[in-house]
């Protein structure tokens, strides 16, 4: 059970999940629309593993073994043998539903379809499937190889069997802590961290403190690995903006209204680590400059 896993979408999150699964010994089929995007994902995966080799965290043989377990595919039809498929494409409801509809015609009836969505309704996503009972939310926190929590989200029609098998996979196969979450926009992690980031932006806009001092205060004062502004840079400012926008629409509460500064940064294309500049500057390996 759970030896062959599909990952749809080879962006930052898809790469991170694929690498983590391969390190745990699973065969991974990573699907992206174009050969160019797949090649970019291969390059990023190699760079990630090379950084670990530089830190003596893994050997060259382990790097090779991990890469050999990740199979790059340009079609969902290569996922037919998968026990579980994790969908990690961008946070767009129609695109995700289209993927789920396609998977329905490819996977066996007892395969699980898990979405890594952070803000969308699982019940609505499951509605795209002929077998909504097999659709579940599995929200990983980036970087997945270092963060040991996964939010498991049940849609209205998710079966007990699907939930039980997913929980077993998360806790026994991946050795992570599974947090059971009832469907709500942003779930637990995205909802709380986006509010922290948004409030940090208001503090910055008001001139209360500099970006460095805001981050140092929270990092040192509350033992965060990164301060809220660097967190936003690492998530991608566009992803933070999209999450806040969706929660603002769903809840209708002003506290979720994205800061104007966040919108300006996104319009300027300063998205954080992936563009090399956000609230701070980063090198090609994602290290702060």
């Amino acid at each position: 059970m759970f030896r062959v896993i599909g990952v749809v979408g080879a962006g930052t999150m898809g790469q991170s999940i694929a690498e983590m699964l391969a390190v745990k010994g699973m065969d991974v089929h990573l699907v992206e629309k174009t050969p160019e995007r797949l090649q970019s994902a291969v390059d990023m995966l190699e760079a990630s593993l090379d950084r670990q080799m530089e830190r003596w965290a893994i050997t060259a043989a382990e790097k090779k073994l991990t890469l050999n377990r990740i199979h790059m595919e340009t079609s969902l039809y290569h996922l037919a043998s998968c026990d579980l498929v994790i969908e990690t494409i961008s946070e767009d409801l129609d695109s995700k539903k289209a993927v789920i509809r396609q998977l329905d015609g490819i996977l066996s009836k007892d395969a699980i379809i898990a979405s890594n969505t952070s803000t969308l309704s699982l019940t609505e996503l499951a509605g795209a499937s002929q077998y909504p009972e097999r659709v579940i939310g599995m929200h990983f926190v980036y970087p997945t190889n270092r963060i040991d929590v996964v939010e498991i989200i049940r849609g209205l029609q998710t079966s007990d069997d699907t939930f039980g098998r997913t929980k077993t996979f998360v806790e026994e196969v991946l050795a992570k802590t599974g947090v059971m979450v009832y469907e709500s926009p942003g779930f637990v992690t995205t909802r709380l961290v986006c509010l922290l980031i948004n409030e940090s932006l208001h503090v910055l806009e008001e001139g209360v403190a500099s970006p460095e001092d805001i981050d140092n205060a929270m990092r040192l004062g509350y033992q965060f690995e990164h301060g809220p502004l660097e967190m936003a840079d690492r998530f991608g400012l566009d992803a933070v903006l999209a999450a806040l926008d969706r929660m603002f629409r769903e809840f209708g509460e002003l506290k979720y209204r994205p800061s104007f500064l966040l919108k300006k940064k996104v319009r300027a294309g300063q998205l954080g680590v992936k563009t090399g500049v956000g609230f701070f500057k980063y090198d090609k390996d994602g290290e702060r400059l």
Side-chain angles (χ1 to χ4, degrees):
M1 185 165 118
F2 298 129
R3 301 308 311 155
V4 186
I5 313 291
V7 178
V8 182
T12 307
M13 202 65 191
Q15 292 162 27
S16 183
I17 291 170
E19 181 187 327
M20 180 264 303
L21 293 170
V23 167
K24 300 272 186 191
M26 275 153 276
D27 268 317
V28 183
H29 292 271
L30 182 59
V31 183
E32 191 46 272
K33 280 179 184 169
T34 66
E36 295 76 26
R37 284 190 186 178
L38 275 181
Q39 189 52 53
S40 166
V42 171
D43 296 343
M44 298 290 281
L45 280 163
E46 288 218 22
S48 167
L49 293 164
D50 285 340
R51 283 196 297 276
Q52 292 171 58
M53 277 172 61
E54 284 166 19
R55 297 200 309 269
W56 302 94
I58 61 169
T59 64
E62 285 171 319
K63 173 194 166 181
K64 190 177 176 187
L65 196 59
T66 299
L67 286 173
N68 284 345
R69 288 193 185 118
I70 302 174
H71 314 284
M72 300 293 179
E73 319 285 11
T74 51
S75 164
L76 292 174
Y77 288 98
H78 293 288
L79 305 183
S81 63
C82 293
D83 315 303
L84 164 71
V85 174
I86 302 168
E87 168 282 304
T88 71
I89 66 171
S90 56
E91 285 286 273
D92 176 71
L93 186 68
D94 291 334
S95 304
K96 286 184 187 285
K97 283 166 85 168
V99 166
I100 290 170
R101 268 194 292 273
Q102 281 178 274
L103 288 172
D104 254 6
I106 297 166
L107 300 175
S108 69
K109 286 192 179 67
D110 55 356
I112 292 173
I113 300 175
S115 174
N116 183 55
T117 180
S118 55
T119 55
L120 298 172
S121 160
L122 253 300
T123 301
E124 203 164 345
L125 287 174
S129 173
Q130 293 171 289
Y131 315 103
E133 65 281 355
R134 62 134 153 223
V135 180
I136 195 163
M138 201 188 286
H139 180 231
F140 291 87
V141 179
Y142 183 82
T144 59
N145 57 341
R146 295 217 312 274
I147 308 293
D148 286 333
V149 72
V150 179
E151 291 180 301
I152 303 171
I153 306 100
R154 293 185 77 145
L156 200 60
Q157 291 163 284
T158 306
S159 69
D160 289 342
D161 176 62
T162 298
F163 175 72
R165 286 162 64 208
T166 303
K167 194 172 191 305
T168 300
F169 173 71
V170 168
E171 296 185 340
E172 293 179 19
V173 181
L174 301 184
K176 294 185 184 291
T177 299
V179 177
M180 164 66 183
V181 180
Y182 292 101
E183 185 173 304
S184 173
F187 313 132
V188 175
T189 54
T190 303
R191 182 171 170 180
L192 296 185
V193 84
C194 284
L195 278 177
L196 174 67
I197 290 167
N198 209 32
E199 196 58 36
S200 305
L201 292 172
H202 292 319
V203 167
L204 181 59
E205 281 175 316
E206 291 163 22
V208 175
S210 69
E212 289 81 4
D213 285 343
I214 290 169
D215 270 21
N216 283 340
M218 297 308 290
R219 199 168 49 79
L220 301 172
Y222 293 93
Q223 298 185 329
F224 287 8
E225 185 182 358
H226 303 297
L229 299 177
E230 186 172 339
M231 267 190 226
D233 280 350
R234 292 188 179 281
F235 295 146
L237 302 192
D238 51 341
V240 175
L241 176 61
L244 282 165
D245 264 336
R246 183 162 291 280
M247 290 189 290
F248 182 42
R249 282 202 304 276
E250 293 274 347
F251 290 114
E253 291 184 41
L254 283 176
K255 64 182 177 182
Y256 298 106
R257 187 167 66 187
S259 126
F260 188 61
L261 178 57
L262 179 61
K263 290 182 175 177
K264 272 205 299 197
K265 284 278 198 190
V266 172
R267 284 172 190 151
Q270 297 180 1
L271 307 181
V273 172
K274 59 185 163 187
T275 59
V277 61
F279 293 103
F280 305 104
K281 289 192 169 77
Y282 304 87
D283 66 17
K284 63 178 174 31
D285 291 332
E287 300 297 321
R288 276 270 296 269
L289 295 171

